[in-house]
Amino acid sequence: MLLAHPALLADLVREYETLHALDADEGGPEARRRLNDVSYTLCVATGTRDVDSALVAARHRLPGARVHDDSLIGAARPRTAARLSGV
């Protein structure tokens, strides 16, 4: 799958958030059309089918996004086991 450049995704997310904050879906036909266009483009660029999933996927690919790291959970297990054993 081709991946959109993070700069494009950042621009799309910013434009979607701006249009959404301005209630473009309740505005005139041009505002609604632009919101629909940006939503569709976000979905295509992220390979998703709805705008909420597209926003999550786009934000995940933006600079500074971090993948969830659960390595701390694994590190906590030995301490928990040591407390349970009385050590």
Side-chain angles (χ1 to χ4, degrees):
M1 180 172 119
L2 293 175
L3 298 175
H5 192 278
L8 171 68
L9 294 174
D11 289 344
L12 289 169
V13 168
R14 191 176 316 112
E15 185 171 1
Y16 176 85
E17 289 173 342
T18 300
L19 289 166
H20 187 71
L22 295 172
D23 290 325
D25 52 340
E26 302 295 326
E30 185 61 33
R32 284 194 308 272
R33 188 175 313 117
R34 187 63 194 149
L35 181 62
N36 288 337
D37 288 348
V38 171
S39 299
Y40 175 81
T41 305
L42 268 168
C43 289
V44 170
T46 58
T48 58
R49 292 181 178 243
D50 64 87
V51 72
D52 292 326
S53 298
L55 288 167
V56 170
R59 288 181 182 126
H60 180 74
R61 295 218 33 243
L62 294 178
R66 295 186 293 173
V67 177
H68 176 68
D69 180 7
D70 64 354
S71 62
L72 294 176
I73 295 172
R77 287 184 186 145
R79 282 185 267 147
T80 303
R83 269 189 270 136
L84 293 175
S85 66
V87 175

